[in-house]
Amino acid sequence: MPKRDDLKKILIIGSGPIVIGQACEFDYSGSQACKALREEGYEVILVNSNPATIMTDPEMAHRTYIEPLTPEFLTKIIARERPDALLPTLGGQTGLNLAVFLSKDGVLDKYGVEIIGANAETIARAEDRKLFKDAMQEIGVAVPQSGIARSVEEAMEIGERIDFPLILRPAFTMGGSGGSIAYNIKELKEFAVKGIEASPIGEVLIEQSVMGWKEVEFEVLRDCEDNVVIVTSMENIDPMGIHTGDSIVVAPAQTLSASEYNHLVALSKKIIRKIDVSGGGANVQLGVNPDNGDVVVIEVNPRVSRSSALASKATGFPIAYVATKLAVGYRLDEVKNQITGRTSSFFEPALDYCVSKIPRFTFEKFRDAVPNLNTSMKSVGETMSIGRTFKESFQKGLRSLEIGRAGFGADGKDLKEFKEELKDIKQNLRIPTDKRIFYVKYALEKGMTVDEIHELSKIDSWFLDNMKEIIEIEKKLLGYRIGEDKTITLPYELLLEAKKAGFSDKQIAYIIGSHELAIREYRKSLGIKANFKLVDTCAGEFNCERPYYYSTYDAADENRISDRKKIIILGGGPNRIGQGIEFDYCCVHASFALREEGYESIMINSNPETVSTDYDTSDKLYFEPLTREDVLNIIEAEEPDGIIVQFGGQTPLSLAVPLEEVGVKILGTSPDSIDMAENRERFNDLLSELNLIKPENDTGTSPEEAKAIARRIGYPVLVRPSYVLGGRAMQIVYDEKELEFYMKTAVEASSDHPVLVEKFLEDAIEVDVDAVADGESVLIGGIMEHIEEAGIHSGDSACVMPPMSLTDETIQRIRENTNALAKALNVKGLMNIQYAVRNDVIYVLEVNPRASRTIPFISKAIRVPLAKIATKVMLGKTLKELGLTEEIHIEHVAVKEAVFPFNRFPGVDAILGPEMKSTGEVMGIDTSFGRAFAKSQLAAGEKLPLKGAVFISVKNHDKRSVIYIAKKLIDLGFSIVATKGTARVLRQNDVEVQEVFKLHEGRPHVIDLLKNGDINLIINTTSGRGAVGDDRQIRNYAVMHGIPLVTTISGASATVNGIENLLRRDFKVKTIQEYHSLIQV
Amino acid sequence: MKAFLVLEDGTVFKGTPFGALGERLGTVVFNTGVVGYEKILTDPACKGNIIVMTYPLIGNYGVNHKDLESETCHGTALVVRDLSRNSSNFRAEEGLNDFLKRCGVIGIANVDTRALTIHIRENGEMRGIIVTVPNDTETIDIDSLLSKIRSYNPVLSGEIEGERFNIKKSGNSNLHVVAIDLGVQRSSLQQFERLGCYVTLVPAGTKARDIIDMEPDGIFISSGPEDETLITKVAEELKPLLGKKPIFGIGTGNLVLGCALRGRIKRMKCGHRGANYAVKNIENGRLDITLQNHGYVLDENSLPYENVQITWGNLVDGTIEGISANNIRAFSLQYIPNTMERGTVSKGFKEFKEELLKSKAIGITERDGDACAKER
């Protein structure tokens, strides 16, 4: 059937900010959807609040709204655009939920908008727990025993019916948010409350636990004429009970027999037909009892998902692209298979390799969080690796994770000491944490059998035995430890066996006591080198046009090396806090720029969620770990004209020096300049040469030295290890005692580098500047003023451009400083500078001659794709040639706000500081600061109240500034609640205030009010040591229960400004293209 | 220990032996199925094949004898990238290594199967030999192996599962199918069982009149090894049966029916062997993903008759995947329509049963040979 021509204009909903459970996979799928629809001549309207996406680039859709993803704003956009259809299946759970809401609310009917991809009934059948259960029962597919609770009483009733443990799954939430496992009545009660709150419709499914079963997933596509294909199976190594997003997953499934596999395929096809996805895709999650083969269906997502992104990258089948074509009426056989270039999309990929997906956790950022894995997703990113065997892909995946591991242990990082050896190990196998897989290694090393480990961990013995094989090879290698003369005596066969099992040179070097590069030289001398094979969707059956590549140690090399001019871009690896989608955005732009300039663009990345690993973003894609060894393999094969390391964040940047050492040409700013900016001493020298100032600082290698420095420059000080990402282990300390504590815990953060102690500037305004320089001229992309004061990590602070409170003179001086620094560092490409302004003095906090997190935000605000421009500059173009010498001035106001994962980590204090904690960002754009800020808050999911009570508890230092805020709130109709200290100050200043007890003073106290729903907004700033006592409990409660919380005074004042604008209710929506058209050049 | 695979064009692959030891000749073919090695090995259609699995991890779930397609292995050797030493499945009765040993099949592991697959893809399926040598230093005499390959000319006669695989008439089975056993798969017989048909298996050489004497309600031509001589012979015997009883063929059975309808077969450079072949119904556009295992196809130009329809085509290369002569109630499928889903029957077998019921009720009115009377 050809495409539908009754549709002209189609609205796509994006997924908003990156949060745990909903990451950049939806940028990848949304971008594919835009492409798929534009090719067909449809007019594409896109809504997404996340500026760091490729999909919101102005050329992706015809009209792009960077507006909050709320029913109110969607309604305004629909009223303005009058689309014929809405495609909600590409924006994750957010997109789907919005579509359901708009449908139920009658908005779609009112404006005559049809939902395509999955209609409202289909969505309901998959998402509504009762309808789903009924549908499955009708086709004879088992579901875990369950009941639906809308109240605690109902939950307790179900608890009596079904045996513990029980799984609680709130309806219409993503990434298992609010989900939990209850082992007893008490927990059931507690978790039922949370679950009902987490569900937007106040409904939670309570079901029989199938913990310990195998978790298997199928990606299924179905067209309007009932043709169905299975794209791939995937098997979770971690058993049921651990969220699939937190599980190590392999594709295809490894431990299902043919008869089980065929049975599950048949079930999946039956299920998608029953759910009635018509013209789209679904993810089917099944539980399989490993002891008897019983099968239950866990859930079905009638949309593209994290799993479908993984399935796409694992197989080469572009699910989102094809699903979009199906949504507009095409049949599967009418859509071409882009990878082979000759077959149609009605096919099921055949794999001849094994894919491992390994989640990336960031518990190190949330020290108080319990790192246990369960049904609520906690990982922030993932890597995907490809090998010819599981052993190979598993080890490649582990070394891609950026957790300092070189593979499955054997890298000097294995735990050598345990509290109570076997007990400790067994405990970690039984109760899985982010380190569980390494405990499997320890268990094997301590002589536990595969069966014993299986009993405790429920990991299938096939995987465990493969891990055991890896350890056996390690033991064999150990027999060849080098002696005095440093000669390597590894036999060819063993070395090849190790490389085929995925061992990195680094691991082998560690095992035999040699050096990584020595191993490399040695194995090359034996003729053992990485060969490249293809992801071609067909296991080699056909010769294909657009494959991508992975390395392996099989005999034959299939790499197709062109003789074109070519540049390699190093991607960012797995997403984690501090290194997210923004860097992938920059890499993608670099690739586009290379292609525009006639170069062959070659991408190396290991992150399956991204646009950069889409098969057609670059001319060539290598799905490989970003380590020196793996990158060198590619460089040796490709012999590129240069390599770009500045766009992928810290991961590739840290490879700059090791790669340059072996003679690789790094494009753009030289590694020496990068070093000058990062090396404290060289940087201090540079600043004094330029007459610029920096807060006083020094480095210390011992606690004593650090204390001496701090005494000299005066508390408070900012301490951190040098060379860190996202402010890792960075802290403001207010006295010696805190410093001592910090020194004890921070040494671990970076052992090779000393600790930096820097004067902390209290109450300074922080300013971020992004610029492009070509060696001659400098283009300032944007000057952004932070809303939160200096001391809050720039990634966590909201910011506004153009600056709101800086004087013209200060801005001019910032410009001059930026120019001077760019020239002094001889920057060729992007640079980011962080300044602090206090009492008209401008301090330089940091200079990063590379892509920054704010590049996409600024590019969206000013219409100039800075990363693309920077790439062209790195290739030798001048800014003059590119016609970009004048700073762009905008008439509108753009606000960036950060989004936090605190609700995923019960017990973690939601206070902001110099260590970055946010996972994503949104953009609010409008004609005034208040409106733009209000939009940014709505987009970030903050439900700012329009009336009610505001609880204020601020540190002494803020008491004076909060008076104005409180008065303003009263003017807006709010009442104020405060504890003794703050209440007294407010009353003295004629602010009417209701005093409330602190927790230890009596009842009802603050938490009682919160629990009763009597508080609608919390303004809570803490002094120095922060996180103590009442305040912390209040914040915890607020975060877990979604009560808006502001922890800085500047944030509070912006919030009040935002509320004032919300009350006016006169928001307008406008496309980014319209804002851009008003920019004067 | 080492093992070598030598192809008739002189290409040599080295690996590690498993399963049985010794020397095996065969036609080297690759199969893209990710699971199902035990079914592929025991499918009689694989007789004389050295089977290369493109999926690299083989043996993971061991072998359960209920899953086999026949009593023993028919492939002569199995080539894999990585043999699993662990069989992890509650139904596993033995490991693949032991199974091969018992069946006398040589396995060779640690081969770059992708490189081998591409070699076959580019140069076509060809004969080869696998030899195992006891110690690592031993070399092989390529020339003598090549001459063995050149003199290898397998006769791939049909297999007989024997009478014990007949499906007996029972309470609910009242339709009698005579199955011409070219190498029938158990999963085909299961389909009849589930349909409530009883089956008499007869060898490939059985005369037409003997079949008629058995008073079948319909005739099934099974899949099996593709021997050109045998296919022609069986087709000749089938001709007198055309129009007498409903006929249904699958796999090689499709080639036989095609030949009986005066069509010709041709060898493909590379066969269709795997579980992901996309086919399209020419009449209604319905699509299906199918299991296939064949190296010959019907020549699409050899069936120009008005009453013979090409019903299914391959979505990628356009080859014939099914034909039908409706006026004589005879049809066949090149792919294997045996469903793997527990307790279900595929459309192809169901349609055959409908034909059986119809012909039982109203008989076949068209006369023998009419299917080919008029050219299109």
Side-chain angles (χ1 to χ4, degrees):
Chain A
M1 216 167 84
K3 69 167 194 242
R4 290 177 55 176
D5 51 16
D6 56 328
L7 306 176
K8 301 277 180 273
K9 208 186 221 189
I10 299 175
L11 174 66
I12 299 179
I13 308 181
S15 70
I18 304 299
V19 293
I20 289 177
Q22 211 163 262
C24 50
E25 64 267 18
F26 296 108
D27 183 27
Y28 156 69
S29 46
S31 303
Q32 276 198 347
C34 290
K35 199 162 58 185
L37 291 180
R38 284 191 78 136
E39 281 174 1
E40 302 298 337
Y42 293 111
E43 189 176 354
V44 183
I45 316 298
L46 172 71
V47 195
N48 195 353
S49 55
N50 185 347
T53 49
I54 293 295
M55 72 195 289
T56 53
D57 269 352
E59 53 278 354
M60 288 301 288
H62 293 93
R63 297 166 67 74
T64 311
Y65 288 88
I66 300 186
E67 300 283 5
L69 291 171
T70 63
E72 187 195 349
F73 278 86
L74 259 298
T75 306
K76 282 180 197 286
I77 291 163
I78 289 170
R80 187 168 189 241
E81 291 289 346
R82 302 300 179 102
D84 300 304
L86 165 65
L87 182 55
T89 49
L90 297 141
Q93 196 66 42
T94 304
L96 215 54
N97 286 358
L98 273 170
V100 170
F101 189 92
L102 293 170
S103 163
K104 280 192 180 152
D105 211 36
V107 175
L108 299 184
D109 280 348
K110 181 175 171 195
Y111 294 103
V113 184
E114 177 189 345
I115 302 187
I116 55 173
N119 62 34
E121 291 77 42
T122 297
I123 298 172
R125 216 172 289 125
E127 299 278 331
D128 180 299
R129 294 295 169 175
K130 176 154 179 13
L131 293 178
F132 177 67
K133 200 174 140 186
D134 292 348
M136 291 303 102
Q137 274 165 355
E138 275 170 41
I139 52 168
V141 179
V143 289
Q145 260 192 300
S146 65
I148 287 160
R150 284 177 201 82
S151 68
V152 179
E153 293 69 41
E154 284 176 8
M156 303 314 282
E157 270 173 39
I158 297 163
E160 281 173 24
R161 241 182 335 108
I162 311 171
D163 291 340
F164 284 93
L166 295 169
I167 309 270
L168 283 81
R169 297 175 192 278
F172 288 99
T173 63
M174 70 173 100
S177 174
S180 44
I181 304 170
Y183 289 87
N184 55 47
I185 295 270
K186 197 170 154 260
E187 284 180 351
L188 176 61
K189 196 167 185 176
E190 183 187 330
F191 298 153
V193 174
K194 279 188 195 160
I196 290 165
E197 271 179 18
S199 165
I201 58 166
E203 196 176 283
V204 57
L205 176 85
I206 300 177
E207 70 183 14
Q208 162 207 355
S209 162
V210 284
M211 278 190 337
W213 288 29
K214 267 181 210 181
E215 188 164 356
V216 183
E217 295 176 66
F218 288 86
E219 287 302 322
V220 195
L221 284 169
R222 180 168 177 251
D223 65 23
C224 309
E225 293 188 17
D226 195 30
N227 297 301
V228 175
V229 290
I230 304 276
V231 176
T232 187
S233 63
M234 289 177 279
E235 178 174 358
N236 292 12
I237 291 184
D238 294 291
M240 292 289 309
I242 296 181
H243 192 278
T244 178
D246 285 353
S247 292
I248 300 179
V249 175
V250 293
Q254 300 294 340
T255 69
L256 296 174
S257 69
S259 82
E260 286 175 293
Y261 177 84
N262 289 324
H263 179 60
L264 299 188
V265 163
L267 281 188
S268 303
K269 290 184 174 176
K270 228 177 190 175
I271 291 169
I272 194 171
R273 290 189 161 114
K274 181 67 191 179
I275 298 289
D276 199 20
V277 171
S278 187
N283 161 260
V284 178
Q285 290 175 25
L286 303 165
V288 181
N289 185 334
D291 300 324
N292 60 16
D294 281 354
V295 181
V296 291
V297 54
I298 306 299
E299 66 174 36
V300 174
N301 289 306
R303 55 174 171 89
V304 303
S305 61
R306 184 180 340 95
S307 293
S308 70
L310 175 65
S312 296
K313 301 294 167 72
T315 62
F317 191 118
I319 294 175
Y321 176 86
V322 175
T324 305
K325 299 279 191 192
L326 301 185
V328 295
Y330 278 112
R331 238 177 25 209
L332 276 157
D333 60 327
E334 291 168 334
V335 185
K336 195 167 116 182
N337 172 347
Q338 310 272 329
I339 299 275
T340 61
R342 50 178 288 183
T343 52
S344 81
S345 293
F346 184 73
F347 82 111
E348 298 187 346
L351 274 56
D352 60 0
Y353 46 80
C354 175
V355 170
S356 298
K357 175 221 82 171
I358 308 189
R360 172 64 155 85
F361 297 93
T362 45
F363 287 113
E364 73 274 10
K365 288 272 180 187
F366 303 98
R367 265 166 259 151
D368 298 322
V370 187
N372 289 350
L373 306 187
N374 51 34
T375 53
S376 174
M377 183 171 162
K378 297 189 176 70
S379 63
V380 293
E382 62 190 30
T383 67
M384 184 185 108
S385 54
I386 312 176
R388 287 279 281 164
T389 62
F390 167 69
K391 295 182 276 283
E392 184 176 43
S393 78
F394 177 61
Q395 294 227 75
K396 282 173 85 174
L398 286 170
R399 72 171 180 262
S400 308
L401 270 185
E402 300 282 320
I403 53 169
R405 305 308 298 256
F408 190 42
D411 52 4
K413 305 272 173 68
D414 285 333
L415 261 190
K416 291 285 177 237
E417 283 168 37
F418 303 89
K419 265 181 261 159
E420 288 174 78
E421 202 161 84
L422 268 181
K423 201 176 157 200
D424 210 17
I425 291 172
K426 283 181 179 168
Q427 175 76 359
N428 272 280
L429 293 176
R430 201 179 292 121
I431 300 173
T433 68
D434 57 328
K435 308 260 186 326
R436 70 212 175 289
I437 218 69
F438 292 104
Y439 276 93
V440 169
K441 180 170 199 270
Y442 308 148
L444 287 166
E445 282 171 347
K446 300 294 171 196
M448 283 177 70
T449 65
V450 162
D451 286 344
E452 285 168 346
I453 299 170
H454 168 73
E455 257 329 290
L456 294 170
S457 66
K458 297 294 176 196
I459 296 174
D460 192 284
S461 56
W462 188 85
F463 297 109
L464 293 172
D465 191 60
N466 269 272
M467 293 175 203
K468 194 171 170 215
E469 284 186 79
I470 294 173
I471 293 173
E472 285 166 11
I473 296 170
E474 182 188 339
K475 278 189 193 140
K476 279 196 256 176
L477 289 169
L478 207 51
Y480 295 89
R481 278 194 69 85
I482 57 169
E484 293 284 298
D485 60 352
K486 306 264 177 215
T487 319
I488 302 172
T489 55
L490 280 172
Y492 172 87
E493 297 284 344
L494 177 59
L495 185 54
L496 184 60
E497 187 188 2
K499 293 308 286 181
K500 282 186 171 187
F503 278 88
S504 60
D505 290 346
K506 215 172 181 172
Q507 282 172 297
I508 297 170
Y510 174 78
I511 296 166
I512 69 162
S514 177
H515 184 266
E516 181 190 344
L517 289 177
I519 300 289
R520 184 180 187 85
E521 282 315 305
Y522 177 74
R523 69 171 167 77
K524 276 164 68 182
S525 76
L526 295 181
I528 300 175
K529 68 172 194 68
N531 282 323
F532 293 91
K533 295 224 183 266
L534 274 50
V535 172
D536 63 3
T537 75
C538 61
E541 187 174 358
F542 309 108
N543 192 8
C544 68
E545 280 173 13
R546 291 212 71 169
Y548 43 97
Y549 297 82
Y550 65 95
S551 72
T552 183
Y553 283 81
D554 268 13
D557 187 64
E558 280 180 65
N559 208 345
R560 303 170 186 177
I561 306 290
S562 79
D563 50 12
R564 294 174 56 194
K565 286 192 298 179
K566 60 182 88 157
I567 306 280
I568 291 178
I569 304 161
L570 299 190
N575 278 5
R576 56 260 195 214
I577 290 173
Q579 187 162 324
I581 185 175
E582 301 83 0
F583 295 104
D584 196 68
Y585 166 95
C586 291
C587 290
V588 169
H589 272 263
S591 183
F592 291 164
L594 291 176
R595 295 174 80 169
E596 281 175 18
E597 294 298 308
Y599 285 84
E600 180 177 12
S601 72
I602 301 174
M603 182 74 67
I604 309 178
N605 202 359
S606 64
N607 185 343
E609 302 174 326
T610 56
V611 177
S612 71
T613 51
D614 203 353
Y615 70 96
D616 66 351
T617 293
S618 303
D619 291 311
K620 205 166 169 185
L621 166 67
Y622 287 90
F623 230 110
E624 286 286 287
L626 289 153
T627 69
R628 171 160 65 176
E629 174 183 349
D630 297 287
V631 170
L632 273 181
N633 290 342
I634 297 164
I635 288 172
E636 283 171 9
E638 291 284 355
E639 298 177 345
D641 296 279
I643 175 163
I644 295 177
V645 299
Q646 283 92 332
F647 287 173
Q650 198 65 38
T651 301
L653 207 61
S654 61
L655 288 173
V657 173
L659 287 176
E660 204 191 32
E661 269 170 23
V662 290
V664 178
K665 187 182 168 200
I666 312 279
L667 288 191
T669 312
S670 70
D672 182 61
S673 289
I674 296 172
D675 185 65
M676 200 188 298
E678 295 201 341
N679 180 308
R680 298 295 145 183
E681 276 169 36
R682 292 184 69 188
F683 187 59
N684 285 347
D685 291 348
L686 176 77
L687 288 184
S688 32
E689 242 173 70
L690 298 175
N691 273 331
L692 298 175
I693 50 169
K694 192 175 181 334
E696 209 181 326
N697 66 82
D698 205 346
T699 55
T701 49
S702 68
E704 285 65 38
E705 272 184 43
K707 269 191 268 179
I709 299 163
R711 249 177 264 142
R712 192 176 73 233
I713 63 183
Y715 288 96
V717 291
L718 190 67
V719 280
R720 65 175 132 169
S722 26
Y723 284 94
V724 290
L725 175 71
R728 169 102 186 270
M730 194 191 278
Q731 204 171 312
I732 299 164
V733 298
Y734 285 79
D735 55 41
E736 201 152 279
K737 218 168 141 196
E738 270 186 84
L739 184 61
E740 270 169 16
F741 179 74
Y742 174 82
M743 288 304 290
K744 254 186 244 159
T745 45
V747 177
E748 192 191 283
S750 178
S751 54
D752 296 344
H753 295 282
V755 167
L756 177 80
V757 184
E758 183 177 285
K759 175 78 188 159
F760 173 62
L761 304 169
E762 277 185 293
D763 299 317
I765 296 170
E766 197 166 324
V767 178
D768 247 270
V769 179
D770 280 308
V772 184
D774 62 7
E776 284 167 28
S777 49
V778 179
L779 171 71
I780 290 186
I783 299 173
M784 293 156 285
E785 179 180 340
H786 288 203
I787 311 280
E788 280 82 12
E789 60 266 21
I792 309 294
H793 191 279
S794 66
D796 285 355
S797 179
C799 69
V800 53
M801 77 173 279
M804 299 312 293
S805 68
L806 301 180
T807 62
D808 286 350
E809 200 214 327
T810 304
I811 293 175
Q812 189 49 38
R813 276 166 53 209
I814 286 174
R815 279 195 194 110
E816 285 159 12
N817 291 354
T818 304
N819 275 309
L821 282 162
K823 283 185 181 143
L825 285 167
N826 197 18
V827 169
K828 288 204 174 68
L830 289 169
M831 79 183 300
N832 166 268
I833 307 178
Q834 286 165 27
Y835 296 99
V837 181
R838 188 167 73 169
N839 303 331
D840 289 333
V841 181
I842 299 172
Y843 298 85
V844 180
L845 298 181
E846 230 178 273
V847 177
N848 295 303
R850 57 170 164 97
S852 79
R853 210 169 284 113
T854 37
I855 290 296
F857 169 72
I858 294 185
S859 300
K860 301 286 149 83
I862 65 166
R863 198 189 55 190
V864 178
L866 291 176
K868 219 174 190 179
I869 300 303
T871 307
K872 294 187 179 179
V873 165
M874 288 158 83
L875 294 173
K877 286 255 161 85
T878 63
L879 287 165
K880 206 188 234 168
E881 283 169 334
L882 295 166
L884 288 160
T885 43
E886 291 297 310
E887 188 179 335
I888 307 270
H889 293 280
I890 54 174
E891 297 300 320
H892 52 269
V893 177
V895 173
K896 186 205 83 170
E897 177 60 291
V899 176
F900 299 90
F902 294 119
N903 63 351
R904 291 272 170 180
F905 301 104
V908 169
D909 196 1
I911 195 94
L912 303 185
E915 172 145 7
M916 184 168 163
K917 298 201 169 92
S918 60
T919 53
E921 73 202 57
V922 291
M923 180 170 180
I925 180 164
D926 212 309
T927 47
S928 77
F929 170 72
R931 271 200 286 264
F933 183 79
K935 278 185 175 180
S936 78
Q937 298 305 299
L938 291 169
E942 196 73 280
K943 294 184 184 70
L944 292 184
L946 301 180
K947 58 178 195 265
V950 181
F951 174 74
I952 301 179
S953 167
V954 293
K955 62 184 176 193
N956 287 336
H957 186 276
D958 290 335
K959 290 209 161 101
R960 202 185 323 155
S961 6
V962 88
I963 296 166
Y964 171 76
I965 292 170
K967 282 189 172 163
K968 190 88 190 265
L969 280 165
I970 285 180
D971 286 349
L972 293 173
F974 288 86
S975 61
I976 306 291
V977 179
T979 49
K980 211 188 287 168
T982 310
R984 193 174 54 232
V985 176
L986 290 175
R987 236 182 261 120
Q988 282 164 359
N989 288 279
D990 303 324
V991 179
E992 197 180 316
V993 58
Q994 178 198 341
E995 198 172 316
V996 64
F997 286 129
K998 289 186 174 174
L999 299 192
H1000 59 272
E1001 291 174 343
R1003 302 187 75 160
H1005 53 52
V1006 186
I1007 302 271
D1008 291 325
L1009 292 192
L1010 287 173
K1011 283 187 177 163
N1012 290 336
D1014 292 339
I1015 305 281
N1016 307 88
L1017 172 68
I1018 298 169
I1019 297 171
N1020 178 214
T1021 67
T1022 47
S1023 61
R1025 198 85 55 91
V1028 279
D1030 285 18
D1031 286 340
R1032 183 169 176 162
Q1033 284 196 42
I1034 294 166
R1035 288 194 295 267
N1036 268 338
Y1037 190 89
V1039 166
M1040 297 321 286
H1041 296 84
I1043 301 168
L1045 168 71
V1046 188
T1047 61
T1048 62
I1049 209 73
S1050 40
S1053 124
T1055 301
V1056 173
N1057 196 341
I1059 289 174
E1060 193 177 3
N1061 276 282
L1062 280 174
L1063 283 166
R1064 276 194 218 126
R1065 294 210 148 269
D1066 62 345
F1067 286 105
K1068 297 228 164 37
V1069 291
K1070 207 159 150 187
T1071 64
I1072 197 79
Q1073 288 86 354
E1074 287 169 280
Y1075 285 112
H1076 288 173
S1077 70
L1078 296 173
I1079 292 172
Q1080 309 277 324
V1081 184
Chain B
M1 284 219 294
K2 280 191 299 191
F4 295 89
L5 165 64
V6 180
L7 303 182
E8 67 175 293
D9 65 2
T11 315
V12 180
F13 289 85
K14 203 173 89 176
T16 318
F18 65 101
L21 301 178
E23 199 174 284
R24 296 289 184 279
L25 283 152
T27 306
V28 183
V29 301
F30 64 83
N31 193 301
T32 58
V34 168
V35 289
Y37 50 82
E38 77 285 19
K39 291 179 190 290
I40 295 162
L41 278 164
T42 55
D43 179 357
C46 285
K47 190 178 167 81
N49 285 347
I50 291 176
I51 301 157
V52 182
M53 298 301 296
T54 62
Y55 187 64
L57 306 173
I58 299 297
N60 301 6
Y61 54 88
V63 175
N64 179 294
H65 298 97
K66 287 202 185 71
D67 295 339
L68 304 184
E69 286 293 2
S70 70
E71 193 75 326
T72 187
C73 289
H74 296 271
T76 61
L78 183 68
V79 186
V80 304
R81 167 64 176 79
D82 200 61
L83 173 75
S84 176
R85 67 178 188 186
N86 178 302
S87 310
S88 174
N89 193 281
F90 71 101
R91 288 177 70 250
E93 292 169 342
E94 67 182 324
L96 181 59
N97 187 25
D98 292 336
F99 178 66
L100 290 196
K101 229 177 251 173
R102 229 166 27 76
C103 296
V105 173
I106 296 185
I108 171 171
N110 297 324
V111 172
D112 184 346
T113 44
R114 185 173 164 92
L116 174 55
T117 298
I118 289 168
H119 187 82
I120 300 288
R121 174 185 89 200
E122 296 299 319
N123 301 287
E125 291 175 353
M126 61 182 84
R127 290 168 297 178
I129 191 166
I130 286 193
V131 289
T132 61
V133 295
N135 59 56
D136 285 358
T137 48
E138 205 166 318
T139 52
I140 48 166
D141 179 356
I142 302 274
D143 288 336
S144 93
L145 292 172
L146 282 175
S147 73
K148 275 185 194 172
I149 294 173
R150 277 190 289 270
S151 57
Y152 170 63
N153 196 10
V155 180
L156 303 172
S157 64
E159 287 299 306
I160 243 291
E161 275 276 318
E163 274 183 28
R164 64 194 188 87
F165 284 96
N166 287 350
I167 298 170
K168 301 246 160 49
K169 189 176 166 135
S170 66
N172 56 4
S173 61
N174 52 11
L175 289 170
H176 182 210
V177 173
V178 167
I180 302 176
D181 181 11
L182 304 181
V184 72
Q185 294 173 297
R186 283 182 187 166
S187 53
S188 299
L189 296 174
Q190 268 163 14
Q191 299 282 295
F192 286 118
E193 204 167 6
R194 289 174 193 161
L195 281 171
C197 298
Y198 65 101
V199 180
T200 309
L201 277 173
V202 299
T206 310
K207 297 285 173 210
R209 61 174 178 280
D210 293 336
I211 293 176
I212 290 296
D213 286 347
M214 291 174 188
E215 297 183 349
D217 294 310
I219 296 158
F220 172 69
I221 318 160
S222 80
S223 56
E226 297 159 302
D227 185 292
E228 289 189 42
T229 329
L230 187 77
I231 289 169
T232 322
K233 198 172 117 193
V234 178
E236 280 308 311
E237 282 307 322
L238 192 66
K239 279 182 183 168
L241 298 171
L242 294 174
K244 300 252 171 22
K245 296 287 170 191
I247 295 172
F248 176 41
I250 65 170
T252 307
N254 178 61
L255 303 177
V256 169
L257 179 64
C259 288
L261 293 168
R262 299 189 210 160
R264 281 186 311 274
I265 57 171
K266 59 177 184 186
R267 191 173 172 184
M268 306 162 83
K269 185 176 179 186
C270 233
H272 293 159
R273 305 176 198 278
N276 68 341
Y277 288 91
V279 298
K280 185 174 185 172
N281 189 301
I282 311 287
E283 285 160 29
N284 59 20
R286 205 179 88 212
L287 304 170
D288 215 343
I289 298 286
T290 62
L291 186 73
Q292 304 201 5
N293 185 14
H294 61 93
Y296 282 83
V297 283
L298 283 170
D299 184 343
E300 59 275 18
N301 300 317
S302 72
L303 290 164
Y305 310 111
E306 202 173 57
N307 287 325
V308 178
Q309 290 89 34
I310 293 168
T311 51
W312 291 88
N314 186 293
L315 208 51
V316 176
D317 60 19
T319 53
I320 295 178
E321 295 283 6
I323 56 168
S324 172
N326 286 332
N327 60 336
I328 55 164
R329 297 195 195 283
F331 72 107
S332 57
L333 301 168
Q334 187 61 53
Y335 59 87
I336 305 297
N338 311 347
T339 68
M340 298 300 160
E341 191 190 351
R342 294 169 196 168
T344 60
V345 179
S346 73
K347 280 208 175 79
F349 280 90
K350 278 185 192 154
E351 276 164 26
F352 182 48
K353 184 178 178 179
E354 278 162 30
E355 294 296 336
L356 295 183
L357 290 169
K358 269 190 235 161
S359 92
K360 214 170 177 168
I362 57 170
I364 298 178
T365 50
E366 298 284 340
R367 275 175 298 122
D368 163 29
D370 271 4
C372 312
K374 258 201 279 178
E375 293 203 4
R376 269 195 293 271

